[in-house]
Amino acid sequence: EDQVTQSPEALRLQEGESSSLNCSYTVSGLRGLFWYRQDPGKGPEFLFTLYSAGEEKEKERLKATLTKKESFLHITAPKPEDSATYLCAALSGNTPLVFGKGTRLSVIA
Amino acid sequence: GAGVSQSPRYKVTKRGQDVALRCDPISGHVSLYWYRQALGQGPEFLTYFNYEAQQDKSGLPNDRFSAERPEGSISTLTIQRTEQRDSAMYRCASSPGDPLTEAFFGQGTRLTVV
């Protein structure tokens, strides 16, 4: 069974304190690894898709990387507005997107 | 519209009643997905349409749940004989192409069964 596990469940950072969120996946034939941001009361907002091991994508203070077993979302010098839940999802074969439970990030000024 | 629109935003219904949740995707988007999201959890797949064809309904919990997208645009998720365990946030998403393309999510419908 395809599984996506995110860690930590919650992370509290001081403004400017860089860190990484982890997404471990167990899927057969990964076609794509997705990162979404979700603010309270809103739907998930697309950030990145990674397709193959070694691929990296960046957007402002966020950089996503992919290996054969996991993906990392690196947050450099975070700001309070980066506070949100970050969701990871994997797509494999003909199965639909499988989401992890998310990491709740709080950035304190 | 500018984004994925879901209605109603909130629905409270009595146990045993039927409910219909509506999703209006972004104009021109081929793919439409229904997810259910419990508090503190990631979205859980329910079903997926490509145009009007229901390509995958493996995530529907049981036969009380059904969905349709008759003209390849607006979709309705129907839950018959609702139970308390059906209470959740139901989210719709659409994308311009196949599942590998970026999906845009709506604000969701919060269903409460009392």
Side-chain angles (χ1 to χ4, degrees):
Chain A
E1 182 183 329
D2 294 346
Q3 278 194 318
V4 175
T5 304
Q6 292 188 246
S7 61
E9 287 187 14
L11 181 62
R12 187 180 172 98
L13 299 174
Q14 293 292 321
E15 184 172 3
E17 180 187 0
S18 301
S19 188
S20 295
L21 312 183
N22 177 265
C23 171
S24 297
Y25 61 91
T26 308
V27 301
S28 52
L30 182 76
R31 293 176 60 200
L33 190 292
F34 298 74
W35 282 97
Y36 282 83
R37 170 190 170 129
Q38 187 169 25
D39 292 296
K42 296 194 173 181
E45 177 187 340
F46 173 81
L47 292 174
F48 306 107
T49 307
L50 302 167
Y51 297 100
S52 57
E55 189 175 0
E56 298 183 354
K57 289 194 176 173
E58 286 188 67
K59 181 179 179 180
E60 296 180 353
R61 294 177 292 283
L62 300 177
K63 183 169 81 172
T65 62
L66 182 67
T67 73
K68 289 187 177 179
K69 293 184 178 180
E70 56 193 349
S71 176
F72 292 94
L73 185 65
H74 307 277
I75 304 176
T76 302
K79 298 182 177 182
E81 53 262 42
D82 295 322
S83 298
T85 295
Y86 291 86
L87 294 164
C88 165
L91 182 70
S92 68
N94 292 319
T95 60
L97 268 182
V98 176
F99 279 85
K101 293 183 179 181
T103 293
R104 284 192 320 279
L105 174 67
S106 300
V107 182
I108 312 301
Chain B
V4 177
S5 177
Q6 292 186 245
S7 60
R9 289 288 310 279
Y10 303 92
K11 177 70 177 178
V12 180
T13 190
K14 290 186 177 180
R15 191 174 49 186
Q17 296 292 307
D18 298 350
V19 294
L21 312 181
R22 174 187 164 121
C23 172
D24 195 346
I26 293 172
S27 179
H29 276 198
V30 166
S31 299
L32 185 147
Y33 313 84
W34 282 100
Y35 284 85
R36 181 167 67 176
Q37 187 172 20
L39 201 61
Q41 304 289 315
E44 174 192 6
F45 172 80
L46 294 176
T47 187
Y48 152 55
F49 290 86
N50 191 39
Y51 294 102
E52 71 280 1
Q54 191 170 22
Q55 301 281 37
D56 188 337
K57 56 180 182 179
S58 61
L60 295 176
N62 51 60
D63 61 8
R64 295 186 296 105
F65 287 72
S66 63
E68 62 175 10
R69 192 186 185 198
E71 297 178 3
S73 179
I74 292 169
S75 177
T76 303
L77 177 70
T78 302
I79 309 173
Q80 296 179 309
R81 305 180 303 282
T82 52
E83 301 178 5
Q84 284 190 321
R85 59 178 171 157
D86 300 332
S87 297
M89 176 71 81
Y90 289 82
R91 294 201 185 276
C92 174
S94 70
S95 67
D98 70 20
L100 276 175
T101 55
E102 175 183 349
F104 296 83
F105 281 80
Q107 297 255 48
T109 294
R110 168 73 66 188
L111 174 66
T112 303
V113 182
V114 298

